[in-house]
Amino acid sequence: MEFEAIPGVGEKTATALAELDDPERALEAGDVAALSAAPGISQGRAARIARGAIRREHDDNGEFLATDRAREVYREVLGLLQERTVTEYAESRLETLFPTSARSRVEEVRAFTREAIAREVDADALAALKDVEPLDEPNDVRVRDRCLATTDAERYREATDTIPELSVEVVEDTRGLAELARGYSTVIALDEAFAGIDVEGDVRVEPNALGKPSEVVPERPLAFFAANRDRLRAAIRVHRRTDLEPSCDLDALEAALDRLDADGAVAGDDELDRLTVAVDDLDAAVSTAESVANDHLRKSIREQDVTVEGSDLLSLVEQGAGVDSLLSRELADEYAAAVTAAREELVDSLDLDSGEAEIARRAFGDDPAFPVERNEEAISRLREELKTARDRRATRLKRELASDLADEREAAEALVRAALELDVELAVARFADDFGCTMPEFGGDEGRIAIDGGRSPLLDVPIEAVDPVDYEIGGVALLSGVNSGGKTSTLDLVATVVILTHMGLPIPAETAHVARFEDLHYHAKTQGTLDAGAFESTVREFAGLAEGGDGSLVLVDELESITEPGASAKIIAGILEALHENGATAVFVSHLAGEIRETTAFDVTVDGIEAEGLVDGELQVNRSPVKDHLARSTPELIVEKLAGERDSEFYGELLEKFE
């Protein structure tokens, strides 16, 4: 795929995308998490890139939302969807859903939506989703006890790129390997020419090492899974609480994660734990054992009644003997018991095995002395033995676990991706549930919109408090009605239904049919009369729309406010005529519907949101527009009410003026 052909992707971004394992899949799937793993690409930027890739794939020009108000409605609708997400990923992922005239894209999302709204929203699943995030890639893994060695400069570059966690050294011959072995615990020679060499130290000749990095550096997969333990466990919980098909054995993955600690070391192995504790506690254990021996001897000496004859003492002095000789003769048994107690204390406290215990017993000699002296050479040997055993076991366990987990990485990524995508689906399902949505019929009947039982989700009241609206549109129409009767809300409802339909999403209505439109032009009510320059700009905008309006949906709210009422009626009539001739679908809300109808050169439809009367000063309104009906104004209703309440010629004459 040519990345720079995607709208908004330049050379720098294309280079970053190329570093991903499978950027084509991520772009085609709109996988925001995968795209945001590219260097320098945030989750928001990833969403924009995915949107651009989708537009390119479906040949969408990105111009469906043709006006500011149309874009505002889209952002409001999108916001309602995003409010129902749990993860930041799903919030960004929803940005890849947008209204379009491309049927292929609409049908693609409709297929996704049908599956989404069929899902049951589970509170436990939503709770588990809170801890699911896109997986991290640790980039700070460095291993300093091993190195790679080669004689070839090209091989050096390949090794540096393939296994950056290890130092790569260039050597000339076997002597160079021997020197490296003195500085590293393990040296891995990459050249087959070194096969059969005899070098002191742990030097391995592995020409295929670069093809199995997880064996050479088990820390790599372990660091990845350790860094993402909580996210993977959350994804496992999501799969267990939903009907998602897992990409791997959940129990096996969870068990493997339990064997990892937060630093990527193997956890939960009793033997490794024993050896680790023994190394860490060795000095303290020797000191304690030494104290045990000395305390035993000290007590024995206090309790002994030793008598030394003068001739014996003289003989000892003449022979150059000291207290040790006296101890050997008089307290040999007690010394042996003290040393035995020290040895047992050392072996038991460190939980040493038979081989280690044999070395540990040499920490205290058999020759009597007070205080008891430790054998530093034996202790050093024991320390080295324990460290070697610990490191060998840790390395073996790392390799075994890394081998298991390395094969599960792709499945683990799919597991998290599925959980994150579920959040997107559940947001759509929750939106559909909260606003009583259904899937609309889409396409056919050029220019026709039919909404039954529609409720606008943009109103600042609970959806249950919104009066349902039935409205059918085809061709060009004027919408009349009393102030506060719901004309603007009806336009918002139509815009919302059309936008959601062209996004491929469910709409807040009992049923609806929406034709496919090329673009949506929604012009909000202008606040106050425009000056000459702004008026000219507005007229120019409608001129362009009137000349190319085929396939367009045009919604306009009280355009008459741009200038004087008399001129407004004429201008609107001219715009309606041009839209009618070009086959556009349009609804213009206006209080001048009667005047415009009289001015228009064709039989324009006038629909009306009819007020049924005033009760305690409050309008009683039928929110569904009545077809081919010019609604009465609020002043007419008030005059009619007054005329009915009082037998007055004045009110009657006023009422006749409205006929």
Side-chain angles (χ1 to χ4, degrees), residues 137-147 163-166 185-186 188 204 212-227 260-266 391 394-403 405-406 409:
E137 185 65 59
N139 54 11
D140 57 351
V141 179
R142 293 294 299 172
V143 180
R144 305 192 184 282
D145 66 339
R146 268 159 280 156
C147 76
I163 306 181
E165 297 90 346
L166 299 185
S185 62
T186 302
I188 302 170
R204 307 173 189 172
K212 47 182 181 179
S214 64
E215 293 182 22
V216 177
V217 193
E219 291 85 355
R220 179 190 292 182
L222 295 184
F224 171 80
F225 280 93
L260 269 179
D261 67 18
D263 297 324
V266 177
D391 294 345
T395 299
R396 180 173 66 80
L397 290 173
K398 278 184 179 180
R399 286 178 176 168
E400 291 174 355
L401 184 55
S403 177
L405 288 175
R409 170 155 180 167

Side-chain angles (χ1 to χ4, degrees), residues 412-600:
E413 290 173 343
L415 198 74
V416 171
R417 189 163 54 243
L420 291 170
E421 287 296 325
L422 176 67
D423 190 22
V424 181
E425 293 184 37
L426 291 180
V428 173
R430 295 168 74 186
F431 175 83
D433 288 345
D434 291 347
F435 295 108
C437 295
T438 57
M439 289 300 291
E441 294 180 15
F442 175 63
D445 294 331
E446 187 173 344
R448 176 173 169 265
I449 301 170
I451 302 171
D452 292 326
R455 288 181 168 89
S456 174
L458 307 185
L459 295 172
D460 193 21
V461 295
I463 195 67
E464 298 80 8
V466 178
D467 293 329
V469 172
D470 301 334
Y471 192 31
E472 183 170 349
I473 305 167
V476 176
L478 288 163
L479 181 59
S480 61
V482 296
N483 290 330
S484 302
K487 300 185 297 298
T488 299
S489 296
T490 299
L491 284 192
D492 283 347
L493 173 64
V494 172
T496 298
V497 167
V498 169
I499 287 171
L500 283 169
T501 298
H502 285 75
M503 292 173 74
L505 297 176
I507 51 94
E510 294 175 6
T511 62
H513 172 91
V514 180
R516 187 179 70 85
F517 293 100
E518 292 296 327
D519 44 41
L520 169 62
H521 299 257
Y522 185 2
H523 293 269
K525 186 186 304 182
T526 303
Q527 300 299 318
T529 302
L530 301 180
D531 60 29
F535 173 75
E536 179 180 347
S537 175
T538 301
V539 174
R540 285 180 180 274
E541 183 178 354
F542 277 100
L545 177 59
E547 291 171 1
D550 186 22
S552 297
L553 173 61
V554 184
L555 305 175
V556 183
D557 194 2
E558 295 189 21
L559 184 61
E560 61 262 27
S561 61
I562 66 172
T563 187
E564 296 86 355
S568 293
K570 296 174 183 177
I571 291 169
I572 294 172
I575 293 172
L576 292 177
E577 289 169 0
L579 292 174
H580 174 69
E581 290 174 4
N582 287 329
T585 301
V587 178
F588 278 55
V589 167
S590 179
H591 288 289
L592 304 176
E595 294 87 335
I596 296 169
R597 181 170 59 182
E598 292 175 0
T599 307
T600 306

Side-chain angles (χ1 to χ4, degrees), residues 65-74 520 522-524 541:
L65 300 170
T67 62
D68 288 343
R69 181 54 187 156
R71 287 184 284 271
E72 286 174 7
V73 172
Y74 164 64
L520 169 62
Y522 185 2
H523 293 269
E541 183 178 354

